[in-house]
Amino acid sequence: MLPHLLVPLAALLSLRLGPGTHGSELPKPPEAWFEAEFFHHILCWLPISNQSKSTYYEVQLAWYGRSPWESLPNCGQALELCCDVTMYTLHLYRSNGYRAKVRTVDGSRYSNWTFANTRLSVDDVTLKVDSVKLEMHEGFIFGMIQLPRPQVAPPGDTYESIFTNFRQYEIAIRKVPGSFKSSRMVDHENFTFPIPGEVGKFCVKVKPSISSRTNKGIWSEEQCITLTKQYFTVTNLSIFFTLILLLCGPLAYCLVLHLYVRRRGTLPAVLVFEKPSPSILISKPPYPEMQDAIQPLHEETFLKVSPELRHSDLHGSMNIGFSSAKPSLQMEEPQFLLPAPHTQACGALGKGEPPDLQVSCSDGGSSGSGSSGSCSSSTDSGICLQEPGLNPGSGPLWEQKVGSTSQGQDDSGISLVQNSEGQPGRTQNSSPLGHISLLGPEAPAEEDPATAAFQGYLKQTRCTEEKTTIAACLEEETPLTDGLWPQFRTCLDPEAGWPPPGLAKGYLKQDPPEITLAPSGVPPGQCNQMTEEWPLLGLTICGDLGPSDWSFTHDLAPQDGVAAPGGLLGSFDSDLVTQPQISSLYSSE
Amino acid sequence: MKAQCASLWLLGTTLVLCSVHTPALRRCPLFVDMHHLEESFQEIKRAVQTKDTLQIITTLSTVEILRSIKPTDVCCVTKNLLEFYMDRVFKDHQELKPQILRKISSIANSFLYMQKTLRQCVHRRCHYSEEATHATRTVHDNYDLLEIPSAAIKSLGELDVFLAWIDRNRREADPV
């Protein structure tokens, strides 16, 4: 009987110990599921509640619709709750997926299988990029998305080949320490993010997606980049060099033009002034052999001097901006040059000059010899003699500027006072002044004319000087009779001030009426001394200077500034004479 | 009269295009929102596939069953499988959860629209090839081997396979 029971008992025992047979109820894992990323597939499950140290889990995997279940030996070791099944699911992206199941094993006991919730398919793969590379260029952040490149992937199975179309990426950017506030979608792995004019640290993260699929995506790790002020950018450098070219171009052009003009251009001859030697006034004449020679004057030169001019008063006027209320006297003849050195005008004159000339010279004490031209002529040299009819008795001393014309407009030079009350006596009184013609004692009475007379320049005349010189010479038996160059001497006290010599154009500026001349009583010896001091010019005014109340109390001019006739005056450095006088003129103005 | 003429003219033009451009007909251009279909399925996938206890048996995922379909048979096979789901799977499945039922209904409506689109280009009796005939017959045979509730739930669980195959054929026909 017992042998007959052995067979059913053995069958019963085999059924209980077979696969899936549990010695006791062993709980199965509550749940199992797949978690997958691109070629990183994980099967996870929940543990049982009362597991022991000998409990482990068995995992099996099947290619859906292709193969039977296959056990995975490396899964379920110890108390692991997840198992990497990537190597067993490499065909996931080319098939309909995989199914998996898990059961609990504890010794000889096994639980029931727990199937994964879903079939592992392509739709279950969570998309994620590998990384993002950031670069900055001129206010833009250039991003390059790095797609995953798993090494276990079969050849040809790349992210781009599996997900060929409709790849999209969500880009989020934040500025440290701020948070991500917004994002935008891009359709390519390369993107740009404008950051105009901002500096600081910026972080970017990317989440991929496929528009035609339902795959989920996850954000990548943040990739940060620090933006700094870029001064030396291509744009800035190009703008800088462009500005340099724009600035340097005109400058270079102007420089070249200036150099070119300087080389080519030359000053007109009339503008070329020979710088006079400071010692020219006191130095010897240009002709060394004539240094001490007394040049006689030509008679004919004196014939041109109208008597009226000798008697007319001389009053100056500014060259510019001033217009004499009274016509200025001008010389008719354009030129009045001193004769050659061999001529001895003084002596000749003293020995018998033409009467008219003598008269003119003698009478024109304060008046100058010159042309008898009217004041209507041009006085671009500043010298204008009074018309004979206007002031017959006071011919002003004047000098004719070389090259000046007697015809023309009245310039701002010396203009003689139209002394309607010109008196011979007055003239006489003023005659010793020689080249200096001043208003007589009546000048103070005639306030306005006198003031006007003393505004400007004092015209010097050679004739007057000569006359004075002649007078002085006649009295003193000076070497003038030897036919020397007529020397215009003044017996003024040098310390009292030499009347300012005329301008280079022949003007001698007069001082205001308060300026008085030195006493007329200048000893002859002083005349000689002064002559010696100024041999070239020899301007000495000796003799009675006129009214006793006339006196120069201040230095009218530098001592070396002496009025000289005609051509000599042309060598005057007018600046030496006029500069202080101009200042006084301005002050008087 | 004008509306009738216009509709007749449009139908005639469609038929002419379908008859002239045979390759295009065989490609079966389906103007349907596949993305919506896939999203709807993903929402019911876990609920449906969890209930599938017959893990190894399949109805549509037999070895190369759909991959062996030629491009000329795609249109007819698509039409046949649409009828399979509309006439057997959706009707045999008994869903109790309203959320899952709503999603299944949405998918069914989309399948119905696809059927109407295909009828304009496909003759009533398709000239199946051997491969196409074998594929459609295997699907029906596998469905018949299982119990109706299990078969229906399994076929619903394999909608992603059918939708992926349709989407691949559509992109091959119109690679945009």
Side-chain angles (χ1 to χ4, degrees), chain A residues 8-306:
Chain A
L9 286 174
L12 183 62
L13 287 173
S14 63
L15 287 174
R16 291 192 66 177
L17 296 176
T21 304
H22 306 282
S24 60
E25 288 295 326
L26 189 62
K28 67 178 181 177
E31 187 180 1
W33 64 93
F34 281 102
E35 292 180 0
E37 293 181 2
F38 191 71
F39 281 101
H40 184 61
H41 315 141
I42 305 296
L43 176 65
C44 294
W45 57 90
L46 294 178
I48 59 175
S49 55
N50 296 324
Q51 60 182 4
S52 62
K53 293 182 180 180
S54 60
T55 303
Y56 66 95
Y57 301 93
E58 182 179 1
V59 178
Q60 288 187 353
L61 190 69
W63 192 348
Y64 187 74
R66 291 178 177 262
S67 65
W69 293 104
E70 182 179 355
S71 295
L72 304 180
N74 58 337
C75 291
Q77 298 294 325
L79 296 176
E80 295 178 354
L81 300 178
C82 289
C83 179
D84 189 350
V85 296
T86 305
M87 298 304 297
Y88 304 100
T89 57
L90 295 177
H91 301 286
L92 176 64
Y93 306 94
R94 306 293 182 186
S95 65
N96 295 326
Y98 296 84
R99 295 303 298 268
K101 59 183 181 179
V102 181
R103 72 175 177 177
T104 307
V105 179
D106 188 356
S108 59
R109 296 187 301 166
Y110 299 92
S111 66
N112 293 329
W113 291 101
T114 301
F115 293 95
N117 294 337
T118 60
R119 175 170 31 90
L120 180 61
S121 63
V122 180
D123 296 333
D124 297 325
V125 175
T126 301
L127 304 176
K128 182 181 178 183
V129 299
D130 192 17
S131 63
V132 180
K133 289 185 178 179
L134 299 176
E135 293 178 357
M136 184 205 171
H137 290 289
E138 298 182 358
F140 284 87
I141 293 179
F142 290 86
M144 292 167 284
I145 298 172
Q146 306 297 314
L147 298 176
R149 296 281 185 264
Q151 294 181 356
V152 299
D157 285 352
T158 61
Y159 188 94
E160 302 90 313
S161 64
I162 293 172
F163 306 106
T164 307
N165 302 313
F166 310 109
R167 293 195 303 273
Q168 292 182 341
Y169 305 93
E170 186 176 356
I171 310 297
I173 186 169
R174 73 181 180 95
K175 184 176 181 180
V176 179
S179 60
F180 292 99
K181 296 181 180 179
S182 63
S183 62
R184 65 169 193 173
M185 300 298 292
V186 295
D187 296 336
H188 301 282
E189 281 74 21
N190 297 328
F191 63 93
T192 58
F193 226 98
I195 310 276
E198 296 202 31
V199 295
K201 188 177 182 180
F202 292 86
C203 295
V204 177
K205 60 179 183 181
V206 178
K207 184 171 73 174
S209 65
I210 309 296
S211 61
S212 61
R213 303 187 72 91
T214 58
N215 293 79
K216 296 180 180 179
I218 58 175
W219 292 102
S220 64
E221 293 181 0
E222 283 187 359
Q223 191 69 25
C224 299
I225 185 172
T226 302
L227 303 181
T228 57
K229 274 285 187 181
Q230 290 186 351
Y231 297 99
F232 297 101
T233 61
V234 175
T235 304
N236 292 345
L237 288 175
S238 61
I239 293 172
F240 174 75
F241 284 114
T242 303
L243 290 174
I244 292 294
L245 289 174
L246 290 175
L247 290 173
C248 293
L251 289 175
Y253 175 77
C254 292
L255 182 63
V256 169
L257 189 66
H258 179 67
L259 292 175
Y260 178 76
V261 170
R262 287 189 71 179
R263 287 178 185 175
R264 290 282 301 272
T266 56
L267 289 175
V270 295
L271 297 180
V272 177
F273 293 98
E274 295 180 356
K275 190 174 182 181
S277 168
S279 61
I280 192 171
L281 294 175
I282 58 176
S283 62
K284 298 180 180 179
Y287 305 97
E289 62 276 10
M290 297 162 52
Q291 183 174 359
D292 297 326
I294 299 175
Q295 304 299 331
L297 295 173
H298 290 289
E299 298 180 4
E300 56 270 18
T301 57
F302 290 93
L303 292 176
K304 297 178 183 179
V305 179
S306 64

Side-chain angles (χ1 to χ4, degrees), chain B residues 2 8 15-16 49 63 80 86 100 108 128 144 162 164 174:
Chain B
K2 292 183 178 180
L8 288 174
L15 290 174
V16 170
Q49 291 183 356
V63 178
N80 190 281
M86 293 298 292
I100 305 302
Y128 290 95
D144 295 331
F162 181 50
D174 187 16

Side-chain angles (χ1 to χ4, degrees), chain A residues 317-580:
Chain A
S317 62
M318 286 297 294
N319 196 17
I320 297 174
F322 289 85
S323 59
S324 173
K326 299 177 183 177
S328 58
L329 298 174
Q330 282 184 319
M331 199 173 68
E332 285 182 347
E333 300 298 328
Q335 290 286 343
F336 183 71
L337 302 176
L338 289 175
H342 62 276
T343 59
Q344 301 180 356
C346 184
L349 286 173
K351 292 182 180 176
E353 294 299 323
D356 55 349
L357 184 61
Q358 286 183 343
V359 171
S360 64
C361 290
S362 61
D363 293 339
S366 62
S367 63
S369 60
S371 69
S372 59
S374 64
C375 291
S376 62
S377 59
S378 173
T379 58
D380 58 348
S381 61
I383 302 174
C384 176
L385 294 176
Q386 188 178 19
E387 291 185 2
L390 297 176
N391 190 5
S394 58
L397 294 175
W398 59 272
E399 284 182 342
Q400 184 178 16
K401 176 178 178 291
V402 176
S404 64
T405 58
S406 60
Q407 299 295 330
Q409 303 79 19
D410 180 17
D411 67 346
S412 58
I414 299 175
S415 62
L416 299 175
V417 176
Q418 184 178 358
N419 188 2
S420 59
E421 300 177 359
Q423 298 294 332
R426 181 162 170 251
T427 303
Q428 281 288 348
N429 294 332
S430 61
S431 62
L433 296 177
H435 63 280
I436 300 175
S437 64
L438 300 168
L439 290 176
E442 296 78 5
E446 304 174 4
E447 187 72 19
D448 294 336
T451 303
F454 287 98
Q455 293 177 350
Y457 302 93
L458 178 62
K459 178 178 178 181
Q460 291 184 352
T461 59
R462 185 175 58 158
C463 183
T464 304
E465 299 167 351
E466 182 182 9
K467 180 184 72 65
T468 306
T469 306
I470 294 172
C473 293
L474 290 174
E475 295 177 358
E476 307 162 9
E477 297 181 353
T478 60
L480 290 175
T481 55
D482 295 336
L484 299 177
W485 187 260
Q487 295 183 352
F488 298 92
R489 299 172 295 175
T490 176
C491 292
L492 294 174
D493 186 3
E495 297 180 357
W498 182 253
L503 298 173
K505 297 181 180 179
Y507 291 93
L508 179 64
K509 183 178 178 181
Q510 279 187 338
D511 289 312
E514 57 274 16
I515 302 172
T516 56
L517 293 171
S520 60
V522 179
Q526 191 171 0
C527 280
N528 292 333
Q529 180 181 0
M530 294 171 71
T531 302
E532 293 174 354
E533 292 176 352
W534 301 293
L536 175 62
L537 301 175
L539 293 176
T540 57
I541 301 176
C542 302
D544 189 8
L545 299 179
S548 58
D549 54 347
W550 283 29
S551 63
F552 287 101
T553 56
H554 86 258
D555 193 3
L556 297 177
Q559 296 184 4
D560 56 349
V562 181
L568 292 178
L569 289 177
S571 61
F572 269 102
D573 184 3
S574 60
D575 295 335
L576 295 176
V577 178
T578 62
Q579 284 179 357

Side-chain angles (χ1 to χ4, degrees), chain B residues 14 21 27 37-39 43 52 57 66 71 116 141 160 163 165:
Chain B
T14 307
H21 301 283
R27 293 286 184 181
L37 280 170
E38 292 176 354
E39 286 184 343
E43 296 179 8
D52 185 9
I57 298 172
L66 293 177
K116 292 180 179 180
D141 292 340
D160 58 334
L163 294 175
W165 182 78

Side-chain angles (χ1 to χ4, degrees), chain B residues 43-162:
Chain B
E43 296 179 8
I44 63 171
K45 175 183 179 180
R46 181 175 180 177
V48 172
Q49 291 183 356
T50 302
K51 295 178 180 179
D52 185 9
T53 58
L54 304 174
Q55 300 293 324
I56 300 177
I57 298 172
T58 177
T59 57
L60 296 176
S61 295
T62 57
V63 178
E64 302 295 333
I65 184 172
L66 293 177
R67 294 181 181 274
S68 62
I69 303 301
K70 295 180 181 179
T72 55
D73 297 328
V74 168
C75 194
C76 292
V77 174
T78 303
K79 173 180 171 293
N80 190 281
L81 291 177
L82 287 173
E83 292 176 354
F84 166 73
Y85 273 93
M86 293 298 292
D87 298 336
R88 299 187 71 174
V89 176
F90 293 139
K91 289 181 178 180
D92 295 337
H93 179 67
Q94 301 296 324
E95 182 59 50
L96 300 177
K97 294 182 181 180
Q99 300 85 350
I100 305 302
L101 184 62
R102 187 180 305 114
K103 294 299 179 184
I104 294 173
S105 298
S106 174
I107 294 171
N109 290 330
S110 298
F111 279 14
L112 183 63
Y113 177 77
M114 292 166 64
Q115 280 185 313
K116 292 180 179 180
T117 305
L118 288 175
R119 286 173 186 165
Q120 299 174 2
C121 303
V122 178
H123 296 288
R124 182 168 294 189
R125 294 185 64 181
C126 291
H127 297 283
Y128 290 95
S129 64
E130 182 177 354
E131 291 80 9
T133 304
H134 175 70
T136 55
R137 185 173 295 173
T138 301
V139 171
H140 285 275
D141 292 340
N142 292 338
Y143 186 83
D144 295 331
L145 292 176
L146 300 174
E147 295 180 358
I148 295 178
S150 299
I153 200 71
K154 178 174 283 299
S155 297
L156 284 175
E158 293 178 355
L159 272 173
D160 58 334
V161 177
F162 181 50

